[in-house]
Amino acid sequence: MPNPNPDTLDKLSHVSVATLATALFKRGLRNQVIQNVDPVRPKGRNMVGPAFTLRYIPAREDRNTLDVFRNPEHPQRHAVETCPPGHVLVMDSRKDARAASAGDILVTRLMVRGGAGVVTDGGFRDAMEIAKLDVPAYHSRPSSPTNLTLNEAIDINTPIACGDAPVFPGDIIVGDDDSVIVIPAHLADEIAKEATQMTSYEDFVKERVLAGETIIGLYPATREENLKIFHDWRKKNGR
């Protein structure tokens, strides 16, 4: 799995998930936003990194007692201990928050090891403590029961579904204070470049709209004079 371009990751740290969703929509990709997840606490900055995945299946009672946590190779624990620095741990928790995907101790360990963030389509226990951590974390809601109540961690770093979005290991995960999106790895460089340009134009548009200008012909740009004004605006603002 090749390392992503650092310049690409930097660009993606300055664009919104909404803008990225539009860029992917242009390419026919409509289901890349992870549905029904929110930041445990907004951070005011983007979470960006390649995906490292963990998959849960429904728990079978004879296989999921508290003793399984004594196994150092238990997939949930092993994922936290092997997720590479700079990566985002993404968990397929079957869109079920009745049992937690992880708690504050595991998320703290992930943070200390250099993880870029964590996402689950289930819930976190100790969510108030996770909110205090510097690492970005996204879930559907707080959940106190241990994951063993309903889930068995079964696979590490295989393709998963998270909030109805397909996630392949190495895909680039971007989260802002609204939501999380999955960018196919092979598209990351071009999406980052296009989204950066789109963000510049959107900033220009907001400035013009605040000044009283109509959006007709401006957003989207269908009048040539608006593109010229935008070109001059970019030069003036170093964008």
Side-chain angles (χ1 to χ4, degrees), residues 105-186:
I105 293 175
L106 269 63
V107 175
T108 298
R109 176 59 178 162
L110 181 72
M111 177 186 71
V112 170
R113 293 193 60 257
V118 57
V119 183
T120 177
D121 58 5
F124 289 127
R125 67 197 312 191
D126 315 307
M128 288 187 294
E129 297 302 315
I130 292 173
K132 298 175 186 177
L133 299 174
D134 188 55
V135 66
Y138 296 78
H139 70 166
S140 62
R141 64 169 174 83
S143 178
S144 295
T146 174
N147 68 289
L148 299 173
T149 308
L150 291 173
N151 293 325
E152 178 177 349
I154 198 74
D155 281 329
I156 294 176
N157 224 28
T158 60
I160 63 169
C162 184
D164 292 324
V167 185
F168 291 83
D171 283 349
I172 304 302
I173 308 298
V174 182
D176 61 15
D177 285 347
D178 286 339
S179 54
V180 181
I181 196 165
V182 184
I183 304 174
H186 69 283

Side-chain angles (χ1 to χ4, degrees), residues 72-117:
E73 298 299 313
H74 183 271
Q76 184 205 45
R77 268 51 178 174
H78 194 55
V80 170
E81 291 292 340
T82 58
C83 179
H87 285 56
V88 176
L89 178 59
V90 185
M91 293 184 273
D92 173 359
S93 294
R94 306 185 297 117
K95 300 188 292 183
D96 193 339
R98 291 178 297 157
S101 304
D104 66 322
I105 293 175
L106 269 63
V107 175
T108 298
R109 176 59 178 162
L110 181 72
M111 177 186 71
V112 170
R113 293 193 60 257

Side-chain angles (χ1 to χ4, degrees), residues 22-83:
T22 299
L24 289 168
F25 178 82
K26 291 178 181 178
R27 291 160 175 79
L29 296 171
R30 299 166 180 257
N31 297 296
Q32 299 303 117
V33 172
I34 296 177
Q35 296 297 315
N36 299 315
V37 302
D38 300 298
V40 175
R41 189 191 71 183
K43 300 296 187 186
R45 68 180 192 275
N46 281 10
M47 171 188 73
V48 183
F52 185 85
T53 64
L54 172 65
R55 183 171 70 93
Y56 287 102
I57 63 171
R60 200 178 77 189
E61 288 79 1
D62 63 328
R63 290 176 53 90
N64 287 273
T65 66
L66 284 173
D67 285 344
V68 301
F69 285 153
R70 297 180 182 274
N71 178 6
E73 298 299 313
H74 183 271
Q76 184 205 45
R77 268 51 178 174
H78 194 55
V80 170
E81 291 292 340
T82 58
C83 179

